[in-house]
């Protein structure tokens, strides 16, 4: 087979270009640290790397979500601590006001401080997070949740709670609605509420009462009616007399699956009621303390009315404090979950980075060896081409 000069030049040029391209690719691998410069270099590995990059981006988004949720929950936890402290102070004030040694003037001072604490509770309920969103507004994060008017506080948020994804299968609530934290608090002892009749003339003071054993309140309403100073009857909601008994101050009265204590001396005709617990907001409880100490009635019966009102306030405050403690515990658990999930995300990210490095990163020792070998081959090819292309029969004539 005869090899023409043009064919020789084309083959030599093609071979030199191939060697030069291989050398350039190796130099790029060394300079970038990557073995795969384009998908054609290793299609299978390139596809795997693409999946890994997508997983890394998703994991990074989970971490950003975790930071966002942690920030909101931290603000809420701090706010709940302030709310709890405010409720503890209200409880101290209620105990002070419930002391018979207090005067009308000292109780007015208590009312003034309680008024300031009530306003503080409203401000705490309207606290914002670092992004300017209201913490306790639910989904209506840009709407101020609590508004006070005429000694009443209304809730303008909703019951929505955002679920933020912080892991492939892990979602976390980034807050609690103001309805759950401030508004829907069971009154009384959580099962039923006790009250003294507004027309009572004696000095009887009823306690919060308690259930017997592990039973639940049956949902009925009962009245304890005093037929004389030392006798009473228990009447259910239909007017049926359930039981009767004799009474001495400090006695415990038995009702269906519950007991209640009455101190002081009721008069004939005095009535004490037990009704199923309903919901009451923290603001109304604080306002109840203010109203009780401001509207004190003179005399022994007025003192009993004050004691009964303050006993209800104390019981309701205990329910509110319990709710805040429960929510704080829930927030703490969620913050712990976020910390744990972030550690899991970090471990997963390290695994992905390691796998991507194994697929993508260049082996520098091997690359440098290939570079030297390719450089030598290119130089040899160039020298051979220079010598061969200069050969001619005219040189030997």
């Amino acid at each position: 087979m005869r090899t023409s000069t043009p064919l020789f030049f084309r083959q030599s040029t093609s071979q030199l270009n191939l060697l030069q391209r291989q050398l350039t690719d190796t130099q790029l691998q060394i300079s970038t640290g990557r073995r795969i410069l384009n998908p054609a270099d290793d299609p299978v590995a390139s596809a795997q790397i693409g999946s890994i990059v997508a997983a890394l981006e998703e994991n990074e988004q989970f971490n950003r979500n975790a930071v966002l949720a942690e920030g909101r929950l931290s603000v809420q936890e701090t706010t709940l601590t302030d709310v709890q402290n405010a409720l503890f102070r209200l409880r101290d004030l209620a105990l002070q006001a419930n002391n018979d040694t207090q005067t009308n003037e000292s109780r007015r001072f208590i009312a003034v401080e309680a008024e300031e604490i009530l306003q503080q509770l409203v401000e705490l309920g309207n606290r914002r997070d670092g992004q300017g969103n209201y913490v306790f507004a639910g989904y209506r994060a840009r709407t101020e949740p609590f508004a006070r008017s005429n000694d009443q506080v209304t809730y303008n948020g909703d019951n929505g709670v955002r679920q933020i994804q912080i892991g492939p299968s892990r979602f976390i609530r980034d807050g609690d609605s103001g309805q759950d934290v401030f508004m829907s608090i069971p009154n009384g002892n959580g099962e039923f509420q006790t009250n003294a009749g507004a027309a009572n003339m004696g000095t009887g003071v009823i306690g919060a009462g308690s259930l017997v054993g592990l039973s639940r309140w049956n949902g009925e309403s009962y009245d304890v009616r005093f037929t004389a100073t030392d006798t009473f009857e228990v009447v259910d909601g239909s007017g049926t007399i359930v039981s009767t008994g004799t009474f001495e101050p400090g006695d415990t009265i038995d009702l269906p699956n519950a007991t209640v204590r009455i101190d002081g001396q009721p008069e004939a005709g005095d009535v004490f009621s037990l009704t199923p617990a309903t919901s009451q907001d923290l603001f109304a409880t604080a306002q109840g303390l203010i109203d009780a100490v401001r509207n004190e009635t003179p005399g022994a019966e007025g003192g009993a009315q004050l004691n009964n009102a303050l006993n209800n306030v104390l019981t309701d405050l205990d329910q509110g404090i319990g709710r805040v403690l429960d929510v704080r515990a829930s927030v703490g658990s969620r913050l712990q979950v976020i910390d744990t999930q972030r550690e899991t995300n970090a471990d997963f990210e390290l695994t992905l980075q390691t796998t991507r490095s194994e697929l993508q990163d260049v082996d520098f020792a091997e690359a440098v060896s290939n570079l030297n070998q390719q450089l030598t081959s290119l130089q040899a090819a160039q020298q051979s081409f220079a010598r061969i292309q200069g050969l001619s029969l005219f040189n030997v004539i």
Side-chain angles (χ1 to χ4, degrees):
M1 175 179 174
R2 296 174 57 189
T3 301
S4 65
T5 298
L7 178 61
F8 165 72
F9 273 94
R10 286 197 301 270
Q11 290 179 336
S12 298
T13 302
S14 176
Q15 181 65 22
L16 289 173
N17 288 338
L18 175 61
L19 292 174
Q20 183 63 54
R21 186 167 58 252
Q22 290 175 345
L23 179 62
T24 301
D25 288 344
T26 302
Q27 289 174 331
L28 285 174
Q29 288 178 342
I30 294 174
S31 62
T32 61
R34 295 185 177 183
R35 179 179 65 88
I36 301 174
L37 300 175
N38 56 73
D41 294 340
D42 191 336
V44 175
S46 295
Q48 292 176 330
I49 291 172
S51 298
I52 291 173
V53 170
L56 285 170
E57 292 175 350
E58 183 181 52
N59 194 67
E60 184 178 354
Q61 182 62 56
F62 292 153
N63 286 331
R64 287 196 294 268
N65 292 347
V67 171
L68 176 62
E70 184 178 41
R72 281 182 58 83
L73 288 173
S74 296
V75 172
Q76 178 173 322
E77 204 280 333
T78 301
T79 304
L80 290 174
T81 301
D82 294 338
V83 171
Q84 179 181 311
N85 292 335
L87 294 179
F88 278 137
R89 181 54 185 164
L90 283 175
R91 195 178 193 284
D92 290 340
L93 293 175
L95 287 172
Q96 292 177 25
N98 210 18
N99 192 318
D100 292 337
T101 62
Q102 295 290 336
T103 64
N104 291 339
E105 183 178 8
S106 64
R107 288 195 174 103
R108 282 196 297 270
F109 293 147
I110 290 175
V112 171
E113 184 176 352
E115 175 73 28
E116 293 297 325
I117 294 175
L118 172 55
Q119 186 59 38
Q120 178 190 7
L121 286 174
V122 175
E123 293 171 358
L124 290 173
N126 289 330
R127 181 164 287 180
R128 301 172 186 249
D129 63 14
Q131 296 182 322
N133 296 320
Y134 289 100
V135 176
F136 298 107
Y139 290 144
R140 305 178 68 180
R142 291 294 180 178
T143 300
E144 187 175 75
F146 296 102
R148 187 183 181 193
S149 176
N150 298 325
D151 295 334
Q152 289 188 336
V153 177
T154 56
Y155 180 60
N156 301 313
D158 58 30
N159 295 331
V161 178
R162 293 190 304 178
Q163 297 276 352
I164 295 184
Q165 188 172 8
I166 61 173
S169 59
R170 171 69 74 175
F171 291 80
I172 199 76
R173 289 186 295 122
D174 72 341
D176 296 271
S177 72
Q179 183 70 34
D180 291 335
V181 177
F182 292 89
M183 305 301 289
S184 300
I185 312 297
N187 58 12
N189 58 22
E191 294 286 342
F192 60 85
Q193 184 182 34
T194 61
N195 285 286
N200 286 4
M201 299 301 294
T203 59
V205 177
I206 189 170
S210 61
L211 295 173
V212 175
L214 300 177
S215 60
R216 299 295 301 272
W217 185 243
N218 57 18
E220 296 288 336
S221 297
Y222 297 94
D223 286 340
V224 179
R225 298 176 180 173
F226 280 83
T227 55
T229 58
D230 58 351
T231 60
F232 67 89
E233 60 186 15
V234 178
V235 182
D236 65 16
S238 65
T240 302
I241 297 176
V242 176
S243 63
T244 61
T246 59
F247 174 80
E248 290 185 4
D251 275 357
T252 296
I253 298 176
D254 294 326
L255 295 95
N257 73 334
T259 61
V260 63
R261 174 173 171 167
I262 297 179
D263 293 301
Q265 182 60 69
E267 294 290 334
D270 285 357
V271 178
F272 299 88
S273 63
L274 288 81
T275 56
T278 58
S279 294
Q280 180 169 303
D281 59 83
L282 296 179
F283 312 105
T285 299
Q287 188 64 49
L289 170 59
I290 297 169
D291 293 341
V293 296
R294 280 181 176 172
N295 303 325
E296 181 181 1
T297 302
E301 65 274 13
Q305 291 174 4
L306 176 64
N307 292 148
N308 281 306
L310 291 176
N311 282 347
N312 284 342
V313 168
L314 286 168
T315 305
D316 293 341
L317 282 172
D318 288 340
Q319 291 293 328
I321 291 170
R323 171 61 62 83
V324 172
L325 287 174
D326 289 342
V327 177
R328 282 192 65 191
S330 174
V331 170
S333 297
R334 279 174 273 170
L335 287 171
Q336 181 62 46
V337 167
I338 291 174
D339 287 340
T340 302
Q341 187 61 46
R342 289 173 71 175
E343 292 177 0
T344 301
N345 291 348
D347 292 340
F348 183 54
E349 180 180 0
L350 179 60
T351 300
L352 291 175
Q353 294 282 17
T354 301
T355 303
R356 184 175 69 172
S357 176
E358 292 173 352
L359 292 171
Q360 178 176 275
D361 292 351
V362 69
D363 183 338
F364 282 98
E366 180 182 358
V368 171
S369 176
N370 290 338
L371 179 66
N372 291 329
Q373 181 179 356
Q374 291 165 355
L375 184 59
T376 301
S377 298
L378 178 61
Q379 291 174 344
Q382 290 172 338
Q383 292 175 359
S384 298
F385 174 74
R387 290 183 179 182
I388 293 174
Q389 63 88 23
L391 296 178
S392 174
L393 291 176
F394 292 102
N395 294 333
V396 296
I397 295 177

